[in-house]
Amino acid sequence: MTVIAASNIKKTYPTKPPVEALKGLSLEVKESKCVALLGPNGVGKTTFLRILTGILLPDDGSITVYDKNPLNSSAEVSSLLRFLPETPFLLQNNSLWENGYFWFSYWNEPFPKDNLKEILERFNLINRAKEPLSRYLRGMIQKAALSIMLATRAPVIILDEPTLGLDVTTKREVIEMIIDLKKKEKTIIVASHDMPFVEKIADHIALINNGKIVEMTEISDFKERHGNLRYLLTYRKNGKLYKEIFHENTECNFRLRNILSDNDIEIVEVHQECDSLEEILNRLLIDGR
């Protein structure tokens, strides 16, 4: 089922000179999937998210959420979406619990006390939940905002740079929770520069450059097409253990064939791996290859 459908979205900011943020972006997101919007700063990722949530109006194009247009059905669409911006809006003089009550009241959604409590425990925030957020460090503010967001019943969750300031343990918990949410038929859209995080949660990636989506595909297909394969070979010869890395080229292939045909060599392990998503994007977007 198609949850979000955007067609030829355009947006120009009336600055001097004008800035074309989106130049005809089209995107389709299916139910229970996580789509990651990737690309350098300034290519239109956040602009698109703000148009999707009704914060901004597009200059041209069409967009629907569950077949509803946020331009003329804003209340209905708002009930379906939850958006966590890069800089969360939280009441600094209020506690985490009070912020939760505020946002769920604003969303006109029942307060999920038990669910939120469970998330706070997983984020190691439950003992600080009654303190004003003014006492929180940057990473704790991010955890507080994520806790409220991930407790919602809304079917679509939109996250803009959700891992900023998070420690390794919390990031792992967020990954596990997003995977669980997809199993519960939630749809996730995330804009992030944290490629290891994206690799663990995303089903599809939408690569954005110059205000358009230049490629949208399953993450495994993207890596297979654009990544470089290499082989990690562990072998034993004359009682000594050796490890070598072989890339897909003539010189490496010749060396690998010689090793495999040597009767004095015992192959211990052959491991195949591909470039990481971060390596591929650096090559495509930065190096231009």
Side-chain angles (χ1 to χ4, degrees), residues 140-159:
M140 294 174 64
I141 292 288
Q142 190 71 11
K143 287 198 288 185
L146 277 166
S147 299
I148 295 169
M149 185 63 51
L150 295 175
T152 182
R153 296 181 185 178
V156 182
I157 296 176
I158 302 167
L159 307 171

Side-chain angles (χ1 to χ4, degrees), residues 12-51:
T12 298
Y13 292 106
T15 54
K16 294 183 179 180
V19 175
E20 287 185 275
L22 297 177
K23 302 177 182 179
L25 185 147
S26 297
L27 174 70
E28 186 175 289
V29 181
K30 299 290 186 180
E31 189 176 50
S32 307
K33 298 296 182 182
C34 177
V35 173
L37 307 182
L38 307 182
N41 290 329
V43 296
K45 301 187 298 294
T46 298
T47 296
F48 172 71
L49 295 183
R50 289 174 176 170
I51 289 173

Side-chain angles (χ1 to χ4, degrees), residues 80-93:
L80 301 169
L81 302 176
R82 297 290 178 262
F83 177 42
L84 178 62
E86 183 175 345
T87 303
F89 177 77
L90 295 174
L91 306 171
Q92 297 297 304
N93 294 325

Side-chain angles (χ1 to χ4, degrees), residues 33-168:
K33 298 296 182 182
C34 177
V35 173
L37 307 182
L38 307 182
N41 290 329
V43 296
K45 301 187 298 294
T46 298
T47 296
F48 172 71
L49 295 183
R50 289 174 176 170
I51 289 173
L52 175 61
T53 53
I55 297 173
L56 289 177
L57 297 176
D59 298 328
D60 198 7
S62 64
I63 188 166
T64 59
V65 180
Y66 285 101
D67 294 325
K68 295 177 176 60
N69 189 327
L71 301 180
N72 51 37
S73 302
S74 58
E76 291 179 88
V77 171
S78 294
S79 69
L80 301 169
L81 302 176
R82 297 290 178 262
F83 177 42
L84 178 62
E86 183 175 345
T87 303
F89 177 77
L90 295 174
L91 306 171
Q92 297 297 304
N93 294 325
N94 294 72
S95 70
L96 200 163
W97 283 117
E98 290 168 338
N99 272 274
Y101 281 115
F102 169 81
W103 276 109
F104 280 91
S105 175
Y106 176 80
W107 293 329
N108 196 27
E109 184 178 340
F111 185 66
K113 183 177 180 179
D114 292 340
N115 191 17
L116 182 56
K117 180 182 178 182
E118 180 183 342
I119 294 172
L120 294 178
E121 289 172 344
R122 293 179 68 171
F123 283 173
N124 198 28
L125 272 181
I126 190 67
N127 293 330
R128 305 287 301 272
K130 294 182 179 180
E131 296 180 22
L133 267 58
S134 57
R135 299 181 186 176
Y136 283 23
L137 299 175
R138 174 66 180 88
M140 294 174 64
I141 292 288
Q142 190 71 11
K143 287 198 288 185
L146 277 166
S147 299
I148 295 169
M149 185 63 51
L150 295 175
T152 182
R153 296 181 185 178
V156 182
I157 296 176
I158 302 167
L159 307 171
D160 194 0
E161 298 295 349
T163 61
L164 288 178
L166 296 186
D167 56 66
V168 174

